[in-house]
Amino acid sequence: MRDSSGIMGGLAVAPMVHIKNSEEIERMRATCKLAGQVLEMIAPHVQPGVSTDRLNSLCHEYICDHGAIPSPLNYYGFPKSICTSVNEVVCHGIPGKQVLREGDIVNVDITTKLDGYHGDTSRTFRVGEVSERSDKIARVAHEALVRGIAAVKPGATLGDIGHAVQSYAESEGCSVVREYCGHGIGREFHEEPQVLHYGKPGRGFRLRPGMTFTIEPMINLGKPDIRLLKDNWTVVTRDGSLSGQYEHTLLITDHGCEILTSLDGTV
């Protein structure tokens, strides 16, 4: 989702955030659990010699067999049911004939729509044995998500989340993509607020119980600059460096947050 800072004339603009009621929260739990199950299902298939289109087909079938639909399919014309972003692809990679090779990393991004509600999650998989550089970007991307989630609690701000992600990633010599961000989610695939993965502590919208949104930092091993390919979907690093990403959908509770797309409660 494109970045909008929410800042005008130095003042934060309050987004129209939908606070979920108890019934909506239960529906969010159900769809997010399914999204997490899809990632667990596909994990053994992320192997050298497997095409990204095969991963797409397996996920599509699993989602439909469980009474849901894949949210990305036909979303603003996106042609597939999942996103597969390999190596220097930052996000929105389109599954196709590309065959995974030993040493690749690939982000598999899953969004399900079940009973009218969306659940969104992703993971960067290591394909066989990977280089130290590939392992580093996957590790840093995951820890960046861990740090972002650790900042989530009622009364905290969106800036607290962004700062936690940015300060960690940059301390590891990596960079944060700024053009894409996390987002509110529920009946709509993308809702307010936009959750930037950079920022200053104490700035921005304050978190309230009942909010559901994603954190999904895209972390580059090189510079943060990106470019869009001619298919108008695939985003790659401008310098050709590796990129990694992990994502969870969260619910703000009275005392912290619940990771809705985690099957065991961990990041």
Side-chain angles (χ1 to χ4, degrees):
M1 186 173 181
R2 288 290 179 180
D3 162 19
S4 175
S5 66
I7 303 295
M8 295 180 61
L11 297 176
V13 178
M16 297 295 292
V17 174
H18 176 63
I19 303 300
K20 274 64 173 184
N21 60 34
S22 58
E23 179 181 348
E24 290 175 307
I25 288 170
E26 288 308 309
R27 292 187 182 186
M28 286 297 297
R29 287 190 175 117
T31 190
C32 287
K33 179 180 179 180
L34 176 58
Q37 289 171 334
V38 179
L39 269 186
E40 288 298 310
M41 178 278 299
I42 204 62
H45 299 279
V46 183
Q47 298 290 341
V50 176
S51 71
T52 54
D53 200 44
R54 176 60 175 162
L55 300 180
N56 179 81
S57 296
L58 289 168
C59 291
H60 179 95
E61 181 178 356
Y62 188 94
I63 292 167
C64 293
D65 284 349
H66 286 76
I69 62 174
S71 303
L73 185 60
N74 298 319
Y75 184 72
Y76 289 98
F78 190 79
K80 295 291 183 172
S81 297
I82 66 173
C83 297
T84 50
S85 301
V86 182
N87 295 330
E88 76 281 2
V89 178
V90 174
C91 62
H92 304 159
I94 302 173
K97 295 180 180 180
Q98 182 176 14
V99 172
L100 298 177
R101 300 176 299 176
E102 182 87 12
D104 284 340
I105 56 173
V106 55
N107 176 268
V108 178
D109 194 342
I110 305 292
T111 312
T112 55
K113 184 179 182 182
L114 178 66
D115 198 20
Y117 287 78
H118 299 269
D120 197 359
T121 188
S122 81
R123 182 187 307 173
T124 294
F125 292 92
R126 299 163 175 84
V127 183
E129 294 294 325
V130 303
S131 68
E132 289 185 10
R133 290 171 63 83
S134 296
D135 185 69
K136 176 180 178 178
I137 195 60
R139 173 180 57 79
V140 172
H142 180 260
E143 182 63 22
L145 176 62
V146 171
R147 301 290 180 102
I149 292 176
V152 175
K153 60 183 179 181
T157 68
L158 292 176
D160 295 336
I161 298 172
H163 176 74
V165 170
Q166 179 186 9
S167 59
Y168 168 72
E170 293 179 351
S171 75
E172 291 289 330
C174 298
S175 61
V176 179
V177 172
R178 298 196 174 207
E179 289 84 351
Y180 296 89
C181 59
H183 53 89
I185 187 169
R187 281 194 173 274
E188 300 296 329
F189 192 165
H190 295 96
E191 300 179 350
E192 292 292 347
Q194 296 191 34
V195 182
L196 306 185
H197 302 118
Y198 61 94
K200 297 181 178 180
R203 294 290 298 273
F205 188 81
R206 290 199 177 275
L207 307 182
R208 298 167 52 193
M211 291 175 62
T212 54
F213 58 81
T214 71
I215 301 178
E216 47 183 297
M218 302 168 198
I219 308 298
N220 294 349
L221 195 58
K223 296 180 179 179
D225 308 276
I226 60 173
R227 63 186 179 92
L228 181 67
L229 298 188
K230 291 181 179 180
D231 61 21
N232 288 320
W233 281 107
T234 307
V235 177
V236 300
T237 57
R238 185 169 290 277
D239 61 8
S241 63
L242 296 169
S243 187
Q245 181 190 21
Y246 288 77
E247 174 184 15
H248 275 305
T249 299
L250 310 176
L251 164 70
I252 307 301
T253 65
D254 289 336
H255 304 290
C257 74
E258 180 180 340
I259 309 174
L260 297 177
T261 44
S262 173
L263 300 182
D264 61 4
T266 62
V267 182

